[in-house]
């Protein structure tokens, strides 16, 4: 599981391979794989929830900044998770990017950890907005619901 520190100690791959794809995968000091599925370079953690963690990441094939969502161990090996994520990807594609952030990629890392990749969108969560400014006005709530 990429969210958990490896029992072997992890550490930066001494081979110096900047791609993170050497046999001994590059790790952060906390044991997270730096490169996921050979394509996404993990950056700062931007959100944590009960079943997953989201990091800023870079798509190494396009240099695009993306959001990389990796699932925690209690969800990671649920056999229904990847099919469910693929179904969500299809629904998001039908609904369109004006309504929901598109899902760019769904897969599993070399260690079996499922992940979802979406474009990185700068902004704040509804919870952060409520904490910052209090209740939404009726007009603001309707505008958000309409979007």
């Amino acid at each position: 599981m990429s969210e958990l520190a490896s029992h072997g100690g992890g550490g930066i791959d001494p081979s110096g391979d900047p791609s993170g794809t050497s046999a001994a995968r590059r790790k952060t000091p906390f044991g997270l794989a730096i490169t996921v599925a050979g394509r996404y370079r993990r950056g700062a953690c931007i959100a944590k929830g009960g079943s997953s963690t989201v990091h800023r990441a870079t798509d190494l094939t396009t240099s695009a900044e993306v959001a990389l969502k990796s699932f925690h161990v209690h969800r990671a090996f649920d056999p229904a998770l990847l099919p469910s994520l693929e179904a969500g990807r299809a629904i998001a594609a039908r609904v369109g990017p004006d309504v929901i952030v598109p899902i760019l990629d769904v897969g599993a890392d070399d260690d079996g950890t499922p992940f979802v990749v979406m474009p990185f969108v700068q902004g704040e969560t509804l919870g952060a907005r409520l904490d910052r400014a209090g209740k939404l006005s009726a007009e603001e709530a309707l505008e958000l619901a309409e979007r």
Side-chain angles (χ1 to χ4, degrees):
M1 175 71 200
S2 24
E3 266 71 58
L4 301 178
S6 71
H7 295 293
I12 299 297
D13 175 7
S15 74
D17 176 12
S19 71
T21 58
S22 68
R25 297 177 63 211
R26 288 178 50 123
K27 305 272 186 181
T28 69
F30 304 106
L32 299 173
I34 291 175
T35 304
V36 175
R39 179 173 176 177
Y40 304 103
R41 180 171 300 268
R42 187 187 315 267
C45 177
I46 55 177
K48 287 184 181 182
S51 65
S52 62
T53 301
V54 181
H55 288 86
R56 275 187 160 178
T58 302
D59 182 335
L60 297 174
T61 63
T62 66
S63 298
E65 188 173 25
V66 296
L68 173 71
K69 180 177 186 173
S70 299
F71 290 84
H72 299 312
V73 72
H74 69 277
R75 288 292 318 277
F77 300 103
D78 176 351
L81 181 60
L82 274 175
S84 172
L85 296 175
E86 285 290 353
R89 182 182 191 179
I91 291 167
R94 281 196 309 269
V95 170
D98 291 340
V99 178
I100 190 168
V101 176
I103 297 172
L104 303 174
D105 195 6
V106 172
D109 197 4
D110 297 339
D111 64 1
T113 304
F115 66 85
V116 174
V117 178
M118 298 162 279
F120 177 77
V121 178
Q122 186 68 44
E124 69 181 336
T125 65
L126 179 57
R129 161 54 181 81
L130 294 172
D131 288 345
R132 177 178 53 78
K135 288 191 325 184
L136 297 173
S137 69
E139 293 80 23
E140 290 173 305
L142 286 172
E143 181 183 333
L144 286 174
E146 191 175 72
R147 285 189 208 163

